[in-house]
Amino acid sequence: MSSPPEIGTAAAVQVQEVEHVYGTGADAVTALGPISLDVPRGSFLVIVGASGCGKSTLLRLIAGFEQPTSGAVRTAGERPLPGAGAGVVFQQPRLLPWKSVGGNVELALRYAGVPREERARRVPELLERVGLHNVAHRRIWQLSGGQQQRVAIARALAGDDPLLLLDEPFAALDALTRERLQEDLRLVSERTGRTSVFVTHSVEEAVFLGSRVVVLTKRPGRIALDLDIPLPRTGLEPDELRALPEYGALRAVLSHAVRDAAG
Ligand code: ADP
Ligand code: MG
């Protein structure tokens, strides 16, 4: 028995025949596309590609910060509105500098409708996750760049937006913090069923996080490879996951595709 699609059943993200051009006339640069892509609810899509291939452009279009030159972008069936419906972490953290570290995270919880007592409990918990519990009272400008990035991640994890958009969020972090946050993000997505679109240039990070990885060609970015990552993640420790033979095989396939696509 088939019924017409209902409101709310659309894919979390739909990118339809999208092309994006910066500038006009002789200065015009086609950064992206044409590209079409559906991201089903609850999936973890990783976009990989060489620097300058249009990854951030694609993410900004999905976040609603840019309008496509042609084609259409929909999130939950609607035209995306900047700052609504998605938790966003960019390469450069965008925090409220006049608030404390804890204040920035608390505000995200308040926006998510979390009651005061629960907020008081969850702020230190979230800061602990990103290793910032002992700087909760500092102002944002008193933190290093890497610490600020961790506040941005805690804030995105705190919100209850069904969609997370992350643009190389771990690029500036030390290896240990990066691995811990990758694991946190993987668990959060698994537990909450949120949809994530994650941009990186690291193949290792892509295989570790993605349920699906899309490799973009060099500019203008188009889909060079669209690969499911069918790894048995549940119940595996990060090291066990990385040690699987399939893990190494997928990483090799993707490294090759990324090199080819950048060609
Ligand atoms: P990536 O994130 O994959 O490194 P971007 O999406 O940032 O790539 O950029 C894709 C291309 O578009 C690059 O060549 C970049 O120089 C160009 N570009 C990005 N933003 C702008 C802009 N605001 N104005 C003009 N060109 C831009
Ligand atoms: Mg970028």
Side-chain angles (χ1 to χ4, degrees):
M1 203 168 65
S2 76
S3 48
E6 288 165 30
I7 292 172
T9 60
V13 179
Q14 295 161 290
V15 174
Q16 299 161 339
E17 297 290 323
V18 162
E19 217 173 347
H20 197 68
V21 181
Y22 291 107
T24 53
D27 294 332
V29 174
T30 304
L32 186 72
I35 181 169
S36 295
L37 192 64
D38 266 19
V39 187
R41 275 158 203 268
S43 57
F44 199 118
L45 171 67
V46 180
I47 311 275
V48 209
S51 176
C53 76
K55 304 182 295 297
S56 296
T57 301
L58 179 57
L59 214 65
R60 285 202 299 270
L61 289 165
I62 296 171
F65 292 112
E66 307 258 7
Q67 297 303 315
T69 309
S70 63
V73 175
R74 296 287 178 268
T75 54
E78 307 280 341
R79 187 191 289 253
L81 291 173
V88 180
V89 185
F90 285 108
Q91 274 163 302
Q92 298 301 320
R94 293 169 198 196
L95 303 167
L96 300 177
W98 61 89
K99 283 204 169 270
S100 67
V101 169
N104 270 270
V105 177
E106 207 256 332
L107 193 65
L109 289 168
R110 202 185 322 164
Y111 281 149
V114 176
R116 181 193 295 265
E117 309 81 66
E118 199 185 328
R119 293 203 298 267
R121 190 170 53 72
R122 287 196 50 205
V123 168
E125 217 175 78
L126 283 158
L127 291 178
E128 173 101 47
R129 302 218 78 155
V130 296
L132 290 179
H133 42 291
N134 43 24
V135 295
H137 299 292
R138 291 224 188 126
R139 302 281 141 186
I140 294 301
W141 52 267
Q142 294 174 302
L143 304 184
S144 71
Q147 287 176 316
Q148 291 186 19
Q149 192 60 328
R150 285 189 267 160
V151 179
I153 291 159
R155 197 179 54 175
L157 294 179
D160 67 349
D161 298 302
L163 181 61
L164 280 177
L165 303 174
L166 307 115
D167 192 351
E168 307 205 27
F170 306 146
L173 303 177
D174 63 276
L176 215 65
T177 310
R178 180 165 57 233
E179 281 187 15
R180 205 168 67 205
L181 289 177
Q182 283 172 346
E183 175 61 2
D184 273 355
L185 183 60
R186 193 168 74 92
L187 291 175
V188 165
S189 333
E190 223 174 76
R191 285 193 201 122
T192 61
R194 282 177 171 183
T195 312
S196 303
V197 182
F198 187 105
V199 161
T200 182
H201 58 256
S202 157
V203 164
E204 163 66 30
E205 189 162 72
V207 179
F208 185 76
L209 290 172
S211 61
R212 172 185 172 201
V213 177
V214 163
V215 177
L216 294 187
T217 64
K218 66 181 175 192
R219 195 186 80 203
R222 298 190 182 117
I223 294 177
L225 178 70
D226 188 339
L227 188 68
D228 276 327
I229 306 291
L231 290 170
R233 292 165 197 278
T234 322
L236 286 189
E237 291 295 318
D239 287 345
E240 296 172 324
L241 183 63
R242 291 192 173 97
L244 292 174
E246 310 94 286
Y247 190 94
L250 286 162
R251 203 177 46 194
V253 168
L254 280 171
S255 296
H256 191 249
V258 169
R259 235 174 299 131
D260 253 16

PDB file of all heavy atoms in Angstrom, residues 55-56 91 167-168 199, ligand 2:
ATOM      1  N   LYS A  55      34.025  22.257  -0.734  1.00  0.00           N
ATOM      2  CA  LYS A  55      33.407  21.602   0.422  1.00  0.00           C
ATOM      3  C   LYS A  55      32.696  22.601   1.332  1.00  0.00           C
ATOM      4  O   LYS A  55      31.538  22.397   1.705  1.00  0.00           O
ATOM      5  CB  LYS A  55      34.463  20.829   1.239  1.00  0.00           C
ATOM      6  CG  LYS A  55      35.245  19.796   0.461  1.00  0.00           C
ATOM      7  CD  LYS A  55      36.235  19.041   1.341  1.00  0.00           C
ATOM      8  CE  LYS A  55      37.362  19.885   1.922  1.00  0.00           C
ATOM      9  NZ  LYS A  55      38.271  20.477   0.918  1.00  0.00           N
ATOM     10  N   SER A  56      33.405  23.670   1.689  1.00  0.00           N
ATOM     11  CA  SER A  56      32.799  24.663   2.591  1.00  0.00           C
ATOM     12  C   SER A  56      31.626  25.356   1.919  1.00  0.00           C
ATOM     13  O   SER A  56      30.621  25.672   2.567  1.00  0.00           O
ATOM     14  CB  SER A  56      33.831  25.715   3.017  1.00  0.00           C
ATOM     15  OG  SER A  56      34.853  25.102   3.766  1.00  0.00           O
ATOM     16  N   GLN A  91      35.165  25.991  10.537  1.00  0.00           N
ATOM     17  CA  GLN A  91      36.613  25.930  10.770  1.00  0.00           C
ATOM     18  C   GLN A  91      37.016  26.955  11.817  1.00  0.00           C
ATOM     19  O   GLN A  91      37.841  26.685  12.664  1.00  0.00           O
ATOM     20  CB  GLN A  91      37.362  26.197   9.457  1.00  0.00           C
ATOM     21  CG  GLN A  91      37.555  24.941   8.626  1.00  0.00           C
ATOM     22  CD  GLN A  91      37.918  25.261   7.181  1.00  0.00           C
ATOM     23  OE1 GLN A  91      37.180  25.950   6.484  1.00  0.00           O
ATOM     24  NE2 GLN A  91      39.051  24.779   6.736  1.00  0.00           N
ATOM     25  N   ASP A 167      32.321  21.717   9.575  1.00  0.00           N
ATOM     26  CA  ASP A 167      33.312  22.011   8.548  1.00  0.00           C
ATOM     27  C   ASP A 167      34.710  21.900   9.144  1.00  0.00           C
ATOM     28  O   ASP A 167      35.171  22.815   9.824  1.00  0.00           O
ATOM     29  CB  ASP A 167      33.080  23.414   7.985  1.00  0.00           C
ATOM     30  CG  ASP A 167      33.897  23.655   6.730  1.00  0.00           C
ATOM     31  OD1 ASP A 167      34.761  22.820   6.393  1.00  0.00           O
ATOM     32  OD2 ASP A 167      33.664  24.691   6.073  1.00  0.00           O
ATOM     33  N   GLU A 168      35.381  20.788   8.896  1.00  0.00           N
ATOM     34  CA  GLU A 168      36.729  20.529   9.420  1.00  0.00           C
ATOM     35  C   GLU A 168      36.863  20.985  10.869  1.00  0.00           C
ATOM     36  O   GLU A 168      37.799  21.710  11.210  1.00  0.00           O
ATOM     37  CB  GLU A 168      37.774  21.227   8.539  1.00  0.00           C
ATOM     38  CG  GLU A 168      37.619  20.853   7.074  1.00  0.00           C
ATOM     39  CD  GLU A 168      38.904  21.002   6.267  1.00  0.00           C
ATOM     40  OE1 GLU A 168      39.984  20.895   6.861  1.00  0.00           O
ATOM     41  OE2 GLU A 168      38.807  21.186   5.049  1.00  0.00           O
ATOM     42  N   VAL A 199      32.514  17.811   6.903  1.00  0.00           N
ATOM     43  CA  VAL A 199      33.506  18.076   5.861  1.00  0.00           C
ATOM     44  C   VAL A 199      34.905  17.872   6.417  1.00  0.00           C
ATOM     45  O   VAL A 199      35.210  18.318   7.525  1.00  0.00           O
ATOM     46  CB  VAL A 199      33.347  19.529   5.347  1.00  0.00           C
ATOM     47  CG1 VAL A 199      34.604  19.991   4.632  1.00  0.00           C
ATOM     48  CG2 VAL A 199      32.132  19.647   4.442  1.00  0.00           C
TER      49      VAL A 199
HETATM   50 MG    MG B   2      36.822  24.650   3.453  1.00  0.00          MG
END
